[in-house]
Amino acid sequence: MTATNLLEIKLARRESIPNADLELLRGLKRNERVVDAHEDLITEGDNPSAVTLILEGFACRYKLLPDGQRSIMAYLLPGDICDLHVALLGEMDHSIATLSECRVSRIDKTTVSELEERPHLRRALWLSQLVDHAISRQWIINLARRRGDKMIAHLMCEILSRLQAVGLAADDSFAFPVTQGELGDTLGVSTVHVNRMLAQLRNKGLIAQQGRNVQVLNFQNLSHYCDFDARYLHLEAGQ
Amino acid sequence: MTATNLLEIKLARRESIPNADLELLRGLKRNERVVDAHEDLITEGDNPSAVTLILEGFACRYKLLPDGQRSIMAYLLPGDICDLHVALLGEMDHSIATLSECRVSRIDKTTVSELEERPHLRRALWLSQLVDHAISRQWIINLARRRGDKMIAHLMCEILSRLQAVGLAADDSFAFPVTQGELGDTLGVSTVHVNRMLAQLRNKGLIAQQGRNVQVLNFQNLSHYCDFDARYLHLEAGQ
DNA sequence: CGGCAACTTGACAATGCTCAACGCGGGTGG
DNA sequence: CCACCCGCGTTGAGCATTGTCAAGTTGCCG
C-alpha cells in the first residue's frame, strides 16, 4: 500500500470522489521524512505554515499542564491529517508529537488550497475534520463515564476500527507502540493502574499482547464489554 | 442586544467581516421559537435538515449509555450553532437538548449554503467549528487530569469566559441554570460529589451562589486555582 | 555484562461512590 | 389558604476504585 493511498482510502470511504481529484491526491508533491519517536511535529505556540500527514506510525495531540502532568487528547494514526485549518486560529493551543517513529509528509498551504478548490475533496476533508471531533466527543464520554478496564477496552476498539479502516489491522491484531505510561496520560490514570487494567482484559480473554502487538481475541465480545458502537467513526458510506 | 447580534459578535470577534455579510446575517429569515427546558432539539439518529442557533438559554450535547448513564459532552450557549455541517455525516451520533428554557432559531440548509458562499462568513463559521473542537479537547484534559473542585472550577471559568464573549456576564456573575445532577453528568461524577466540590469552592471564597446564579468572586484567583488559560477559546483577534 | 526503560506486583492512602436521611421551596389540589 | 409532593440541595457513614510509594523483574541495546 503506497502512502497517498492511505489518504485516498480515508477520503473516498464515504462518497465517491472523481478520478481527477484522486489523481490530484496521488500526485501530491510529497515532502516525506521520517521522524524519531517522541519528537514534536508541532509545538504549542507555533504558527504552522503547513499541514502534516501521517503515513506510518502513531502520533498524538498533547498538552503539558503547569504541574508537570501530560494529557494526551487524541491519537493520530496513518492517514490522519494534523490541523488542516489551524492557520485560521493563529497559534497552536496544543502540541503534536510522535509516539513511535513516524513517516510523515508535509503539505504546504498552497497545496492545501488547491485541494480545497475541488468540491468533492473539500467535502471529504471537512468530513474527516467532523469525524475527528466526533472522536473527541467519544473520548469525553469514555473519560467521564467508563471506568477501569472498560475505558481501556473502548480505546482499543476505537484504534482497531480506525486502523482497519486504512487496512492496517486485517486480523484484529495491530502494532501498538504506546507505553503504559502514555496510555495513562491518555486515560488520566496512573501507569500502575493501566498495568492492572490491561492484565484484567488479558485475564478475561478479551485481548492478548505480544510485545508491542495487541490482538483483539473476539471483537464482538470486546465491543459488547465496553459498549463500543463504531457508528461515531462514520466509516460507512453516508446517506 | 438583539438576537442576531449575538452571532454577529461571535463571528466578527476575530476578524472583520464586510458590512454586506453582516447585513446578510442580520437579515436572516429567522424561525424563532421558545423551547421548554429538558426537550430534545435533535435526537440521536435524526438526519437533521436544518441548523439550530441558540439565542437564549443553555443547551447541551449528550448521549445516553446502555446502562442508563447520561454523558453531557458540550454546552451550547447563546450565540452557539448546533451542527452546522452535520448533514455531511448523515445521522446524528448524539442528541442535543435544552438544559433551561431556550429561545432558538432554525436556519434551513439553503440559508446555510447562502452564508457559506461568502468567503468571510465561511471562514468565520469554520472558525467557530474549530473553537468548538478546541473546547472539546480542553474537556478531555479537564476530565483526565483535574480532580475535585479544580475540575468544576475550570468548567466555571470556561462558561464565564464564553458568556462574557457574548456580553452575558459583565460583572463576573451569570445565570447558570444547570442542576448539580446535570453537572455530575457533565463531569462524570456523582451528584453528591458535585455538591461537595461546589461547597469547597464556596468555602475557599472562589465563587458564590445565589439560587441559579453563579458569581466568580475573583477571576484571577479562580483561573490560577484550576490552571485555566483562556487562549484555547481563541477570543482574541487572530494572527 | 551493565544500564536503562518499561512492565509488574504489593501495601496503604486518598479520592469519589452509594445509600440513606433530611431540609427547603415552589407548585398543585383540596 | 393550607397540606402535600416532588425535585433539588445538603450532609453523614461506610465502601469501592484508583493513586502513591516502593521494590522487584524483564528485555533490549550498547
Side-chain angles (χ1 to χ4, degrees):
Chain A
M1 168 158 323
T2 76
T4 39
N5 270 345
L6 271 187
L7 188 54
E8 231 180 286
I9 290 172
K10 242 185 90 113
L11 296 185
R13 176 163 295 275
R14 297 189 75 257
E15 56 178 329
S16 62
I17 291 185
N19 261 326
D21 288 358
L22 292 180
E23 287 301 331
L24 188 64
L25 275 186
R26 290 189 197 108
L28 274 186
K29 185 169 59 183
R30 269 176 288 135
N31 220 324
E32 268 184 54
R33 66 190 163 118
V34 172
V35 183
D36 280 349
H38 311 116
E39 298 269 331
D40 269 11
L41 294 173
I42 309 174
T43 302
E44 184 174 347
D46 284 1
N47 197 328
S49 61
V51 160
T52 303
L53 168 63
I54 309 289
L55 300 172
E56 236 179 88
F58 278 44
C60 68
R61 296 178 193 280
Y62 76 95
K63 200 170 161 83
L64 296 175
L65 305 193
D67 61 3
Q69 290 188 104
R70 178 175 60 165
S71 187
I72 293 177
M73 304 168 285
Y75 286 159
L76 297 167
L77 308 185
D80 287 345
I81 295 179
C82 315
D83 300 299
L84 191 55
H85 300 95
V86 78
L88 283 179
L89 282 181
E91 62 177 41
M92 289 286 292
D93 59 18
H94 63 277
S95 305
I96 298 182
T98 55
L99 287 169
S100 65
E101 183 176 288
C102 283
R103 200 155 49 83
V104 305
S105 166
R106 184 180 186 281
I107 306 178
D108 57 36
K109 269 184 176 172
T110 58
T111 310
V112 171
S113 303
E114 278 172 44
L115 296 181
E116 294 209 302
E117 279 163 19
R118 311 292 188 111
H120 284 87
L121 286 181
R122 188 169 68 206
R123 274 173 65 91
L125 291 169
W126 260 89
L127 204 137
S128 90
Q129 167 86 22
L130 293 181
V131 170
D132 286 351
H133 198 160
I135 292 172
S136 295
R137 285 193 299 263
Q138 286 293 326
W139 281 38
I140 289 173
I141 296 176
N142 206 28
L143 289 165
R145 286 306 192 194
R146 277 185 276 266
R147 4 207 72 229
D149 56 355
K150 292 190 180 181
M151 183 165 57
I152 206 164
H154 196 275
L155 180 62
M156 290 299 172
C157 285
E158 178 189 302
I159 292 171
L160 175 60
S161 299
R162 288 170 62 188
L163 289 174
Q164 281 177 337
V166 288
L168 291 177
D171 58 347
D172 283 5
S173 86
F174 53 93
F176 186 66
V178 181
T179 67
Q180 294 183 356
E182 287 159 349
L183 268 175
D185 287 346
T186 306
L187 298 171
V189 299
S190 66
T191 303
V192 172
H193 197 54
V194 168
N195 186 287
R196 294 193 235 256
M197 292 193 292
L198 281 170
Q200 280 183 45
L201 290 179
R202 288 193 305 265
N203 291 338
K204 286 172 178 159
L206 292 170
I207 67 168
Q209 293 179 283
Q210 309 104 69
R212 289 285 159 86
N213 253 297
V214 171
Q215 181 171 15
V216 172
L217 296 174
N218 183 325
F219 184 57
Q220 184 96 353
N221 284 354
L222 188 64
S223 317
H224 185 260
Y225 181 63
C226 61
D227 297 322
F228 176 76
D229 176 352
R231 274 177 295 183
Y232 74 93
L233 294 172
H234 297 274
L235 296 169
E236 311 297 326
Q239 17 141 215
Chain B
M1 169 159 322
T2 76
T4 38
N5 270 347
L6 272 186
L7 187 54
E8 232 181 286
I9 290 174
K10 241 183 91 113
L11 295 185
R13 174 162 294 274
R14 296 190 76 257
E15 54 179 329
S16 63
I17 291 186
N19 261 326
D21 289 357
L22 292 180
E23 287 300 331
L24 189 63
L25 275 186
R26 291 190 197 106
L28 275 186
K29 185 169 60 184
R30 268 176 291 136
N31 219 325
E32 268 184 53
R33 67 191 162 116
V34 171
V35 183
D36 280 348
H38 312 116
E39 299 268 330
D40 270 10
L41 293 172
I42 309 173
T43 303
E44 184 175 345
D46 284 1
N47 197 326
S49 62
V51 160
T52 302
L53 169 63
I54 309 289
L55 299 172
E56 234 180 272
F58 278 43
C60 68
R61 297 177 192 280
Y62 76 94
K63 200 170 159 84
L64 296 174
L65 305 193
D67 61 3
Q69 291 187 103
R70 179 174 60 165
S71 187
I72 293 177
M73 303 168 284
Y75 286 159
L76 297 167
L77 307 185
D80 286 345
I81 295 179
C82 315
D83 300 300
L84 190 57
H85 301 96
V86 77
L88 282 178
L89 281 181
E91 63 176 41
M92 289 286 291
D93 59 19
H94 63 277
S95 304
I96 297 182
T98 55
L99 288 169
S100 65
E101 183 177 289
C102 283
R103 200 156 49 83
V104 305
S105 166
R106 183 181 186 282
I107 305 177
D108 57 37
K109 268 184 176 172
T110 59
T111 309
V112 171
S113 302
E114 277 172 43
L115 296 181
E116 295 210 301
E117 278 163 19
R118 311 292 188 112
H120 283 86
L121 287 180
R122 187 168 69 206
R123 274 171 67 91
L125 290 168
W126 254 104
L127 204 138
S128 91
Q129 167 86 23
L130 293 180
V131 170
D132 286 351
H133 198 161
I135 292 172
S136 295
R137 284 193 300 265
Q138 286 293 326
W139 281 38
I140 289 173
I141 296 176
N142 206 25
L143 289 165
R145 285 306 191 195
R146 276 185 276 266
R147 7 204 72 232
D149 56 356
K150 293 191 180 180
M151 182 164 57
I152 207 166
H154 195 275
L155 181 61
M156 291 299 173
C157 286
E158 177 188 302
I159 291 171
L160 175 60
S161 299
R162 287 171 62 188
L163 289 174
Q164 280 178 338
V166 289
L168 291 176
D171 58 347
D172 284 5
S173 87
F174 55 94
F176 186 66
V178 181
T179 67
Q180 295 184 356
E182 287 159 349
L183 269 175
D185 287 346
T186 306
L187 298 171
V189 298
S190 67
T191 304
V192 172
H193 197 55
V194 168
N195 186 288
R196 294 193 235 256
M197 293 192 291
L198 281 171
Q200 281 183 45
L201 289 179
R202 287 193 306 262
N203 291 338
K204 286 171 180 160
L206 293 170
I207 67 168
Q209 293 179 281
Q210 309 105 68
R212 289 285 159 85
N213 254 297
V214 170
Q215 181 171 15
V216 173
L217 296 174
N218 182 324
F219 184 56
Q220 184 96 352
N221 284 353
L222 189 63
S223 314
H224 186 259
Y225 181 63
C226 62
D227 296 323
F228 176 77
D229 175 352
R231 273 177 295 183
Y232 73 93
L233 294 172
H234 296 274
L235 297 171
E236 311 296 325
Q239 16 143 210

